[in-house]
Amino acid sequence: MQNFTEEIKNEITSVAVTDDRMRKALLSAFIRTNGSIISKNGLFGFEITTENEGTAEFILNMLEENYGLSLTVSGAKFDVMSGKDKLSFECIDERTDGLLKSIGIIKQENGANLLTFNIDESIFQGKKSKIGYIKGAFLGGGSCTLPDEELFSRTGYHFEIVFSNKVTAGDFCELLCDFEILAKLVSRKDKAVVYIKSKAVISDILHLIDCNQCLKKLNKVVEYKDRQNNANRVNNCSVSNIDKTVTASVNQVKCIEIIAQTIGLQSLDKHLFDVAECRLADKNASMQELAERLNISKSCLNHRMRKISDLAKSLAE
């Protein structure tokens, strides 16, 4: 069964990217989050690792069909946590070197090729390319979890993308701000994690990257959890009211018994005697129920109960 992260990645990769600027932005983000830069004979290349078959096929086809790059399998490792094989692919030649420069990962300075960490603004030419970058970042280092449907689930809404350094992660947060999406940045071991815990903001970002089926699933979970939480609040409120009613009744009965054991209930005036007698007749009734039986208002009943309580306290002293 797919988890929610896989569903998002599969929905992203199910749509072909036809815009070259969006494609380059997507590849740039994917290599930033998933890949590592390698160098051989003065040329730069990259290595990527993925366990999601759909993502691997999507990226490999994009590199081969649009840029004529051929990736070779450089390693395979079984991941115990996911229970899947992680495949590593390597690509290094003159065309790869050229692609890395065109997507802002490598720049030439004083005749030398240098690895950059800031996101190169030149790869962004319009809204589509920025959305492509967000999609590529999620494919490379993203994950998203939803609350379990159990009643007392501790898991919540969580969306994150892991970067190899804080510089790129900080620039990515600024990119999200262009779409009024506010994310937080935190260090985790040697990585930088951009994360969102607001269900509303996660909804916004899924809408932005055109994951409409996943957005429907999120909204369904949100609706279910909200109904569940409202039911819990109503139940807790009812239990609280019952507890208050029981506590009040116990205290009232104690006061009436003190009066009965000292000066006797017959010493009370008729109004207070009727209240005391009514309470002893039904120790579980609410104040509203007692007021209706005595044909008086609830405030009047409270006033008479306070008189009984004050009398009992003075007698106890």
Side-chain angles (χ1 to χ4, degrees):
M1 182 179 178
Q2 291 181 349
N3 59 38
F4 195 53
T5 297
E6 289 177 327
E7 290 180 35
I8 296 173
K9 290 184 177 182
N10 289 341
E11 189 163 359
I12 291 173
T13 57
S14 67
V15 181
V17 182
T18 57
D19 184 272
D20 188 57
R21 290 170 298 183
M22 185 177 189
R23 189 161 45 230
K24 285 183 176 178
L26 187 151
L27 286 172
S28 179
F30 183 82
I31 294 172
R32 289 278 194 194
T33 52
N34 181 280
S36 55
I37 303 302
I38 55 179
S39 179
K40 188 184 297 182
N41 300 325
L43 296 175
F44 279 96
F46 59 87
E47 184 179 60
I48 57 175
T49 303
T50 181
E51 65 185 35
N52 186 291
E53 294 180 5
T55 299
E57 185 178 357
F58 179 77
I59 296 296
L60 266 60
N61 287 343
M62 184 179 292
L63 290 168
E64 291 175 0
E65 294 174 6
N66 297 282
Y67 306 102
L69 301 182
S70 297
L71 281 77
T72 57
V73 177
S74 58
K77 184 179 179 181
F78 180 75
D79 184 69
V80 178
M81 294 294 290
S82 64
K84 296 181 179 181
D85 287 325
K86 281 190 173 182
L87 295 177
S88 297
F89 301 89
E90 181 181 288
C91 185
I92 181 167
D93 55 29
E94 290 183 359
R95 284 175 296 185
T96 309
D97 189 273
L99 175 65
L100 291 175
K101 290 175 182 175
S102 70
I103 61 178
I105 293 179
I106 299 295
K107 70 177 180 178
Q108 197 163 35
E109 193 172 290
N110 298 325
N113 288 334
L114 301 175
L115 176 64
T116 66
F117 295 101
N118 286 103
I119 299 175
D120 191 344
E121 289 288 333
S122 66
I123 66 172
F124 298 137
Q125 297 181 32
K127 182 178 178 181
K128 280 187 177 181
S129 56
K130 292 182 178 182
I131 293 173
Y133 200 94
I134 297 170
K135 288 183 176 183
F138 189 84
L139 289 177
S143 64
C144 187
T145 56
L146 301 179
D148 293 332
E149 292 189 357
E150 283 78 11
L151 186 61
F152 299 107
S153 169
R154 292 185 178 182
T155 58
Y157 303 92
H158 186 86
F159 179 102
E160 73 173 36
I161 297 176
V162 181
F163 292 84
S164 61
N165 65 86
K166 273 192 172 182
V167 176
T168 313
D171 286 355
F172 185 75
C173 287
E174 291 184 15
L175 169 61
L176 292 178
C177 285
D178 290 346
F179 298 99
E180 299 183 351
I181 294 174
L182 300 180
K184 294 184 179 180
L185 173 59
V186 67
S187 295
R188 183 186 297 161
K189 296 183 180 179
D190 59 339
K191 303 291 185 181
V193 182
V194 175
Y195 72 94
I196 299 166
K197 286 189 173 292
S198 163
K199 57 192 176 185
V201 180
I202 294 173
S203 175
D204 289 342
I205 202 167
L206 289 179
H207 175 71
L208 180 66
I209 60 177
D210 300 317
C211 289
N212 296 318
Q213 293 305 312
C214 291
L215 179 57
K216 287 180 181 178
K217 181 172 182 177
L218 169 65
N219 290 337
K220 188 175 180 181
V221 171
V222 169
E223 184 180 348
Y224 172 78
K225 295 300 290 185
D226 285 349
R227 284 202 311 267
Q228 196 176 61
N229 291 336
N230 288 335
N232 288 340
R233 280 193 288 271
V234 170
N235 183 60
N236 291 339
C237 184
S238 298
V239 171
S240 176
N241 288 337
I242 291 172
D243 289 342
K244 288 179 181 178
T245 299
V246 171
T247 300
S249 176
V250 169
N251 290 333
Q252 290 163 5
V253 170
K254 283 182 179 179
C255 290
I256 293 169
E257 288 177 345
I258 289 173
I259 295 172
Q261 293 167 7
T262 52
I263 61 174
L265 296 181
Q266 298 298 332
S267 63
L268 298 174
D269 65 44
K270 184 179 186 309
H271 295 313
L272 297 186
F273 178 83
D274 290 343
V275 168
E277 189 177 48
C278 191
R279 168 50 79 198
L280 291 177
D282 190 348
K283 298 177 181 179
N284 296 321
S286 67
M287 292 292 281
Q288 184 62 46
E289 290 171 334
L290 291 183
E292 290 174 357
R293 292 172 191 175
L294 292 166
N295 199 25
I296 59 177
S297 67
K298 188 177 177 180
S299 61
C300 179
L301 177 61
N302 283 326
H303 177 70
R304 293 178 185 180
M305 278 294 187
R306 278 195 297 271
K307 280 190 173 184
I308 291 174
S309 177
D310 291 341
L311 177 59
K313 286 179 182 178
S314 64
L315 291 173
E317 291 172 357

